[in-house]
């Protein structure tokens, strides 16, 4: 009897163990099936996820502006517009990080390094000093020069045709000869021409040298004046205004940032100003053949977009802007007692003074 009970218990135990084993086997098989489905599903969705990631990718554009004045402000705006026009829209698929060095080269160097460390995909330097700050900060992240007058002389590129580095962009080469020719149309009696620029800016110095050579070739007398900071501008302009018949102003961020002071002092002595930048005519310049600064910026933005699309900056030729429009400020001419010939008015755009 005892043996029979023992056999029954052993049989029940065997049945229980078989049941547990079978349940375990089924659960394991189901687990493998479940893992295979996501693996297959995951494989199917990979391209879709990748496509969504590409569509949602945000590009970071670092912009460093040399200082604050209307010409550089216009270039910055144009660069952002140029990016947007070519598919890189701030606030949508692009994040623009903007810094302004306010004319302080040490500050610009710090800001440039900060934008590099912030993970910018591309950098746009508005003005020569800003572009140089970026060049000192990185030789890997692509850099676009926004309005540099002499990129080779500034050490930014090997040549305009083949930059050779991580830098390319826009050269705004002032049409110096056309500007001086227009000056003589308005001031046929002028002989002593002052040339004012900042000694600390490579772009200004290079452009001033071109102007001095052109003035000499025209049989006129160039008189060179330099300042090292905005603090010297008022006294320098007051001095030169008593010694020259007109003042020519190369592209210069230091002078531009204090242009109201230049105008005020020159007007005291009825000396006309011939700037190279279009926006300075509304501020009190007499006339110029000026390159549109917004267009300059737009080309910088366009080139930045092409580099983001895959163009190698090292063999992407520098874009040269060297033609401008005749601009004249009639209010300033009247203030200075200068008659504008009809031949000039027929070709020029009349610019009103800023209020």
């Amino acid at each position: 009897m005892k043996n029979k009970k023992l056999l029954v218990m052993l049989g029940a135990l065997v049945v229980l163990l078989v049941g547990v084993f079978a349940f375990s086997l089924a659960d394991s098989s189901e687990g493998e099936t479940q893992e295979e489905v996501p693996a297959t599903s995951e494989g199917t969705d990979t391209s879709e996820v990748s496509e969504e990631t590409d569509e949602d990718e945000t590009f970071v554009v670092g912009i460093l502006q040399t200082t604050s004045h209307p010409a550089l402000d216009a270039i910055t705006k144009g660069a952002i517009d140029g990016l947007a026009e070519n598919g890189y829209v701030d606030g949508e698929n692009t994040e623009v990080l903007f810094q302004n060095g306010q004319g302080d080269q040490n500050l610009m160097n710090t800001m440039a390094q900060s934008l590099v460390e912030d993970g910018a995909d591309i950098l746009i330097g508005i003005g020569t000093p800003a572009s140089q700050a970026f060049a000192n900060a990185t030789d890997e992240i692509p850099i676009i020069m926004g309005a540099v007058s002499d990129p080779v002389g500034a050490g930014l590129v090997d040549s305009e045709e083949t930059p050779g580095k991580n830098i390319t962009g826009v050269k705004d080469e002032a049409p110096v000869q056309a500007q001086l020719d227009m000056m003589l149309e308005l001031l046929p009696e002028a002989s002593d021409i002052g040339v004012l620029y900042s000694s600390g800016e490579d772009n200004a110095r290079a452009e001033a040298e071109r102007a001095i050579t052109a003035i000499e070739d025209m049989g006129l007398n160039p008189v060179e004046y330099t300042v090292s900071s905005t603090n010297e501008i008022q006294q320098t302009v007051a001095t030169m205004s008593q010694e020259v018949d007109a003042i020519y102003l190369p592209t210069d961020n230091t002078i531009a940032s204090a242009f109201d002071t230049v105008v005020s002092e020159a007007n005291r002595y009825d000396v006309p100003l011939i700037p190279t930048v279009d926006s300075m005519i509304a501020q009190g310049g007499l006339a110029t053949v000026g390159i549109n600064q917004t267009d300059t910026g737009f080309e910088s933005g366009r080139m930045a977009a092409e580099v983001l699309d895959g163009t190698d900056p090292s063999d992407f030729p520098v874009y040269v802007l060297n033609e401008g429009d005749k601009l004249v400020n009639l209010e300033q001419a009247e203030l200075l007692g200068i008659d504008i010939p009809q031949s000039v008015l027929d070709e020029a755009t009349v610019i009103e003074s800023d209020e």
Side-chain angles (χ1 to χ4, degrees), residues 50-62 83 87-97 118-122 308-309:
S50 176
E51 288 175 5
E52 288 175 5
T53 302
D54 289 341
E55 290 174 2
D56 296 339
E57 184 177 2
T58 297
F59 297 88
V60 178
V61 178
L83 280 164
Y88 295 90
V89 182
D90 186 26
E92 293 184 13
N93 64 343
T94 302
E95 180 185 5
V96 174
L97 303 179
D118 285 342
D121 296 297
I122 196 165
L308 287 172
D309 287 341

Side-chain angles (χ1 to χ4, degrees), residues 78-233:
I80 294 172
D81 290 346
L83 280 164
E85 186 73 17
N86 289 276
Y88 295 90
V89 182
D90 186 26
E92 293 184 13
N93 64 343
T94 302
E95 180 185 5
V96 174
L97 303 179
F98 176 78
Q99 298 276 10
N100 189 323
Q102 299 299 350
D104 185 328
Q105 190 65 58
N106 289 330
L107 181 58
M108 274 183 273
N109 290 336
T110 300
M111 289 176 167
Q113 189 62 47
S114 174
L115 289 169
V116 168
E117 293 172 357
D118 285 342
D121 296 297
I122 196 165
L123 303 164
I124 303 177
I126 308 299
T128 299
S131 298
Q132 289 173 321
F134 276 144
N136 291 333
T138 179
D139 57 6
E140 296 179 357
I141 300 173
I143 299 168
I144 301 298
M145 305 175 295
V148 171
S149 301
D150 183 18
V152 176
L156 292 167
V157 299
D158 295 337
S159 74
E160 293 175 18
E161 296 76 18
T162 308
K165 304 177 183 178
N166 60 317
I167 307 173
T168 187
V170 177
K171 174 183 178 180
D172 58 340
E173 182 177 270
V176 172
Q177 189 62 59
Q179 292 167 343
L180 294 172
D181 288 342
M182 186 178 185
M183 178 192 72
L184 275 189
E185 285 188 78
L186 305 179
L187 309 166
E189 302 301 321
S191 59
D192 297 318
I193 312 301
V195 179
L196 174 65
Y197 65 98
S198 168
S199 58
E201 292 193 36
D202 294 333
N203 55 304
R205 183 167 54 252
E207 203 165 274
E209 290 172 357
R210 290 174 53 218
I212 289 169
T213 299
I215 291 168
E216 290 174 338
D217 290 344
M218 296 169 73
L220 305 177
N221 177 40
V223 187
E224 184 177 1
Y225 300 83
T226 63
V227 295
S228 60
S229 72
T230 55
N231 296 329
E232 301 174 9
I233 289 177

Side-chain angles (χ1 to χ4, degrees), residues 49 80 85 125 127 146 191 242 253 267 354:
V49 171
I80 294 172
E85 186 73 17
S191 59
Q242 300 174 69
N253 295 299
N267 282 351
D354 290 337

